Amino acid sequence: MKIRTFPIPSEEAEAHLRRLAGRARVLFDGEAARVAGRALSEIRRGGDRALARWRARYDGVTGPPRAVRRPGRVSAEFRRAFEQSLSRVTLFHSRQQTPAARVLTAGSVIEERVFPLDSVGVYIPGGQAVYVSTALMTILPARLAGVPRIAVATPPPAYDSSPELRYALGKLGVTEVYRMGGAHAIAALAVGTGAVPRVACIVGPGNRFVAAAKRLVSGLVRIDGLSGPTEVAVYADGAADAECVAADLLAQAEHDRDAAAVLVTTSAPLAERVEKAITRRLVGLETRDRARAALSRYGAIAIAKSPREAVRFLEAFAPEHLGIQTRKSLEDSRLFRRAGAVFVGRPTSEVFGDYVAGTNHVLPTNGTARFSSALSVRDFVKRMSVVSLSRRDAERLAPHAEVWARIEGLPAHAAAARLRRSAGS
Amino acid sequence: MKIRTFPIPSEEAEAHLRRLAGRARVLFDGEAARVAGRALSEIRRGGDRALARWRARYDGVTGPPRAVRRPGRVSAEFRRAFEQSLSRVTLFHSRQQTPAARVLTAGSVIEERVFPLDSVGVYIPGGQAVYVSTALMTILPARLAGVPRIAVATPPPAYDSSPELRYALGKLGVTEVYRMGGAHAIAALAVGTGAVPRVACIVGPGNRFVAAAKRLVSGLVRIDGLSGPTEVAVYADGAADAECVAADLLAQAEHDRDAAAVLVTTSAPLAERVEKAITRRLVGLETRDRARAALSRYGAIAIAKSPREAVRFLEAFAPEHLGIQTRKSLEDSRLFRRAGAVFVGRPTSEVFGDYVAGTNHVLPTNGTARFSSALSVRDFVKRMSVVSLSRRDAERLAPHAEVWARIEGLPAHAAAARLRRSAGS
């Protein structure tokens, strides 16, 4: 198929960056925000009865939200794939340290203490497929952080129809599952009802109503990022393998009609080879309709005048996934800092990152890699500052605190400091 | 003055917890959200011209938003107090490590790379006082993280009238200051205008319009927490110094009519002594009207049947600040995990934490200490995952990725993995 092609730098390149950024619809989705707002206020007031109404209407189910535990019978090859992912993701995430600052000075102790969150709600969407791998990627870091209570919410069809999901939840030690999906599921987890105790943190992707609800409750609980449509960029030079580049672009495009797949290359011949390979690989692909739609809407081949221009364009895009297939892939990876995850060299398909490389696949999308990071063990802990001053240290600091308090017009602050100036018990 | 007193456990204790939680008005402030929404959409579309309209109307100023640099002449004692705070806050925050995970396995490298955010916007409110200390507490961690661009926004009167603020900004190396305050200041920093380049992160407290605007832009930029009215709890037994306890409660109450100050004690005699001391200390206090209003609305003296009941109540409150003045203060501090910051023992007034102890005074309020933490150096970095697989490792992982991809209905994923199965360049 013909993919939108333009040089970098150019007006078209800038226009495409704007087109890509414009996919952040979550932020300006008034309808979803209204539905989420209604779910939140009704469930806050009405508790279980309000939740039952929403579940009857949107999930099409009645009865208590908590799922009866059911085993998941899966194939031996899935068990092996699951074990492999579990072990690699554990290996990498267990290196995500959460050290605490500590200072001993003048007889005082000033420190942070780190605690796991006491509860986490994980949302697992239903929809066109059940992403069992997302259950692994969200639950495992919480487990490794030491979170004692992990509650899963998922639309009833997802739980009922996917033995792989039930298997994964069992292996991950999750026993608290709620058959509910959509804005009301997020609302119930955030404010709590009789049947669904509230949690301290909600993670996991979802549709626009889920995203709007997460946004709404983000001051009541911690949330992970608002995941937008997925995206990949591949940075390649003339040495790249066109088949591999094409396959990685297609793997992203098949997710969703809103997905973005962009090739940035310094080699016009490579661009041509990749376009041909994509055309060929689309034939017979079961997901070709979605992939074609995504490629024609947000796909692009950008031919850069220089590596420097390529980097500038990619850093402005700040893609969720960035593949690098150049002569010096690892060295070139040092040119970037604004991607969610980088996949270096021909063997490293982005697809490994989705499942088994070890890194987390919950990544910042839609330019948010500018300021946010992959989901990690660190997202499931909190810190408490602890100050224990010696008398001597307090006496020395008190006059300074009094000066500050006067400047800021806070006389009771000054008085509280002054009391610590002279000797005490 | 008479302060609301109740036993723990009791119905009144639960009612007071609900009253405290009800102060989270930010989350349900429709009017502020509408004003913020209007500011955001107008400035997104209209850029500098829209910003000029908002500044003329709400800041009462015209001309370019960027402040001309002006020195701040301050007293020698303020210079010394500032130096003391700078050195203690630097000492503690420079221990806030941001280590990166790294795994070497089967010839592959899987790692995180840590980068400072490229830009941070700091909001410094005006209002009843200019909290110069907040400039220190927000800017210094960003500096220590290595953020190259720090932009400050503050209402014109705050910048114009406070030599201490100008001095502090100078010492902290901030040269980019915008004289603008309110929702439009947050909007301009988040989306960028010609005169105000956008930032990646916005931190700092503000009024309800600022809070609503921060909430609104939280998917476009990173934000710190939404700070609600301040709060303190003191946990004390019969051995506590009633004057110190009273002084610390008053230091919080004087901030704001919405501030909360709660004493939790196992000793009825101490409760009586503290109440008397508060009454006495209120006489002649310049901020007594605010302090009285806060104490009568959200103040409380809770007499706990047992230490266990005291801890349960305090963990449910999850206060921003927690003072501990008991026989075994340090040991007792281990009973808590849900405060923003804990101040241990008689010499450790909470006031030291506001200015000079070394810890950060930007802390979670209104129960959010359940899941969030003091502002730290970690809030100003981002991580990028980097995966570089060896051919051998990719070949071994590919079949597992293919199994996952089939389960999730993603054939192009399976194909991309399969391509890495056989030998390649």
Side-chain angles (χ1 to χ4, degrees), chain A residues 17-295:
Chain A
L17 287 175
R18 285 193 297 275
R19 191 175 296 125
L20 291 169
R23 294 178 314 145
R25 277 191 275 272
V26 192
L27 296 174
F28 308 101
D29 185 341
E31 191 206 344
R34 273 189 299 278
V35 172
R38 207 151 45 76
L40 182 61
S41 75
E42 289 185 14
I43 288 167
R44 224 157 71 97
R45 263 177 307 212
D48 281 329
R49 286 173 62 178
L51 178 59
R53 278 198 307 277
W54 281 77
R55 290 181 67 235
R57 174 148 178 210
Y58 292 99
D59 294 323
V61 292
T62 54
R66 179 115 181 216
V68 177
R69 214 168 150 185
R70 288 171 51 194
R73 257 183 255 287
V74 299
S75 67
E77 68 173 9
F78 179 74
R79 276 203 302 275
R80 281 192 300 270
F82 184 85
E83 282 308 317
Q84 183 62 54
S85 297
L86 191 69
S87 107
R88 284 291 279 251
V89 176
T90 300
L91 179 68
F92 184 68
H93 286 68
S94 59
R95 306 277 167 97
Q96 290 171 336
Q97 297 169 57
T98 57
R102 183 159 214 254
V103 165
L104 304 175
T105 181
S108 299
V109 184
I110 302 150
E111 63 182 8
E112 296 170 324
R113 294 182 193 158
V114 184
F115 303 105
L117 300 185
D118 57 21
S119 50
V120 169
V122 174
Y123 188 82
I124 299 172
Q128 56 207 16
V130 180
Y131 290 150
V132 181
S133 55
T134 303
L136 176 74
M137 294 292 184
T138 47
I139 294 167
L140 195 55
R143 277 264 169 270
L144 291 171
V147 175
R149 179 181 159 229
I150 297 176
V152 162
T154 189
Y159 186 74
D160 299 343
S161 73
S162 173
E164 288 83 8
L165 176 60
R166 297 197 303 273
Y167 174 86
L169 295 177
K171 281 286 172 185
L172 294 162
V174 173
T175 57
E176 187 181 344
V177 177
Y178 300 100
R179 291 166 72 243
M180 55 189 191
H184 56 286
I186 303 299
L189 287 168
V191 298
T193 71
V196 183
R198 73 172 181 165
V199 297
C201 168
I202 298 177
V203 298
N207 64 19
R208 49 196 279 248
F209 300 102
V210 168
K214 281 174 65 182
R215 198 153 178 249
L216 211 56
V217 301
S218 72
L220 296 170
V221 297
R222 184 187 295 184
I223 63 163
D224 60 349
L226 300 170
S227 52
T230 192
E231 56 211 12
V232 70
V234 176
Y235 174 48
D237 63 14
D241 178 327
E243 289 298 325
C244 283
V245 173
D248 287 0
L249 292 170
L250 277 173
Q252 217 54 230
E254 77 171 335
H255 264 294
D256 188 329
R257 294 168 50 86
D258 281 330
V262 176
L263 168 64
V264 176
T265 181
T266 46
S267 160
L270 179 85
E272 218 169 289
R273 289 201 299 276
V274 170
E275 194 176 59
K276 278 191 188 132
I278 287 176
T279 306
R280 195 172 352 93
R281 299 180 80 86
L282 273 167
V283 178
L285 184 70
E286 297 100 290
T287 50
R288 64 181 170 276
D289 289 348
R290 285 205 305 264
R292 273 217 187 89
L295 285 171

Side-chain angles (χ1 to χ4, degrees), chain B residues 7-51:
Chain B
I8 309 178
S10 72
E11 257 311 306
E12 291 146 282
E14 298 307 310
H16 197 62
L17 287 174
R18 283 194 298 275
R19 192 175 296 123
L20 291 168
R23 295 177 314 144
R25 277 192 275 273
V26 192
L27 296 174
F28 308 102
D29 185 340
E31 191 206 344
R34 270 189 300 279
V35 171
R38 206 152 44 78
L40 183 61
S41 76
E42 289 185 15
I43 289 167
R44 226 157 70 95
R45 262 177 306 210
D48 282 329
R49 287 173 61 179
L51 178 59

